[in-house]
Amino acid sequence: MPVREIGSRKTAFVLAGGGSFGAIQVGMLHSLAAHGVTADMVVGSSVGALNGAFFAGDPTLDGVRRLGAIWRGLRRHDVFPVDWRTVLSFLWHRDFLIPHDGIRKLIDDHIPYRNLEEARLPVHIVATNIINGDSVVLSDGSAAEAIVASTAIPGAFSPIRYRNYYLADGAISSNTPIQVAVNMGATRLIILPTGHACANQDPPVGAVANALHALTLLIARQLVIELETLGPDIEYFVVPPLCPLVGSPYDFSRTADHIDRAILSTDAWLAEHHLRQGKIPHEMRLHSH
């Protein structure tokens, strides 16, 4: 039987950003779906926008398995198509380093609808107005434009001109869009963070890898602050991210391991807690090993 809150509570799955660590969310979704945990809406930012949009189109265990198959086949170049041509273009035009082609192809090939309002579950994609830093919530219109905007890391990807906004990565304003979910009427939040590489001994190599690593640290800090300020009328559950976690959110070579570990760890968490109480797991607080 699906696990829903008694009464009129609305449940939101809230998916954070985190680059290739988004594979961890796939394992979490797999476990939640296998245990019959359902949602009334999905809210996603950055890579959480991509995972959330796919899940909203097919919120079933079979759908999550298909999402897992997509992730297991991903390589870095599929998402961040950087080669000598892009580097030369960057140097010649003094423009942005990475084209949006990789993300657009993923969306076109795998998201089963064109407009957000056509998803089976209401889905809300969070991007950032790069001019003033405000969060912009996209709940209808082009799924491709919303997801591309929400995943546009500043400096690496160009902002997206959409609906009279210049939009960039949702991580800047609301990487774990908890308040957005509350504003959309959710009173019960199941939050799927990606965590951060807490067991690395050295910083990642490369500009994009370091930018993504910094964003994951921002996510962790921002998540804790937002949860600590939630009112008592909001019930929340944070699925613990993987810990210890090594690697870089720019590295896709560990994807299968991240998915498999996240399935096992979320299974164990559900078996222990049964969604009875919400607390901030220690894995989300900044720490090292």
Side-chain angles (χ1 to χ4, degrees):
M1 289 289 293
V3 179
R4 288 188 183 273
E5 181 65 20
I6 297 173
S8 60
R9 282 189 176 274
K10 286 188 175 181
T11 298
F13 282 0
V14 183
L15 290 85
S20 65
F21 292 164
I24 295 166
Q25 291 174 338
V26 179
M28 294 173 173
L29 286 169
H30 184 285
S31 179
L32 292 169
H35 286 82
V37 182
T38 62
D40 299 295
M41 69 179 77
V42 179
V43 183
S45 179
S46 201
V47 73
L50 184 62
N51 284 335
F54 187 98
F55 180 77
D58 189 358
T60 66
L61 181 56
D62 283 343
V64 177
R65 285 177 175 141
R66 283 192 286 273
L67 178 60
I70 294 165
W71 269 93
R72 290 174 192 273
L74 282 182
R75 300 295 178 265
R76 185 169 67 190
H77 190 78
D78 297 327
V79 182
F80 301 105
V82 179
D83 56 22
W84 63 269
R85 295 180 185 85
T86 58
V87 172
L88 285 177
S89 178
F90 172 72
L91 294 174
W92 180 256
H93 297 292
R94 298 183 181 274
D95 204 346
F96 296 89
L97 178 60
I98 306 172
H100 296 287
D101 300 356
I103 293 292
R104 286 192 183 277
K105 187 175 190 315
L106 283 174
I107 297 164
D108 292 343
D109 289 350
H110 301 297
I111 298 295
Y113 52 88
R114 295 188 63 184
N115 295 310
L116 295 174
E117 65 270 24
E118 297 166 1
R120 288 173 60 181
L121 289 179
V123 56
H124 308 289
I125 303 299
V126 182
T128 299
N129 181 336
I130 199 65
I131 303 299
N132 62 16
D134 285 346
S135 290
V136 176
V137 183
L138 302 170
S139 305
D140 58 14
S142 170
E145 293 304 305
I147 297 167
V148 168
S150 187
T151 56
I153 304 164
F157 296 95
S158 63
I160 296 295
R161 175 73 169 170
Y162 186 57
R163 293 186 176 179
N164 296 319
Y165 297 110
Y166 286 99
L167 298 177
D169 200 313
I172 305 166
S173 60
S174 187
N175 206 292
T176 306
I178 293 168
Q179 194 58 52
V180 171
V182 172
N183 293 343
M184 292 296 171
T187 54
R188 182 173 183 259
L189 312 178
I190 299 177
I191 299 158
L192 285 69
T194 57
H196 63 284
C198 55
N200 282 355
Q201 299 301 311
D202 299 296
V205 176
V208 177
N210 271 278
L212 282 168
H213 176 66
L215 281 177
T216 62
L217 298 178
L218 172 64
I219 297 166
R221 188 179 299 276
Q222 186 182 52
L223 173 72
V224 171
I225 292 171
E226 288 195 48
L227 289 176
E228 289 178 338
T229 58
L230 276 180
D233 55 325
I234 304 299
E235 185 179 21
Y236 69 84
F237 308 90
V238 184
V239 183
L242 299 182
C243 179
L245 180 62
V246 297
S248 161
Y250 189 51
D251 175 15
F252 286 78
S253 67
R254 304 173 187 266
T255 293
D257 180 63
H258 289 340
I259 294 173
D260 294 338
R261 284 181 63 198
I263 292 172
L264 293 175
S265 66
T266 308
D267 282 348
W269 176 72
L270 287 169
E272 180 180 356
H273 294 284
H274 304 289
L275 295 181
R276 283 195 302 262
Q277 60 182 357
K279 66 176 184 178
I280 303 172
H282 72 87
E283 295 93 342
M284 277 308 305
R285 298 185 184 275
L286 295 180
H287 64 278
S288 59
H289 293 269

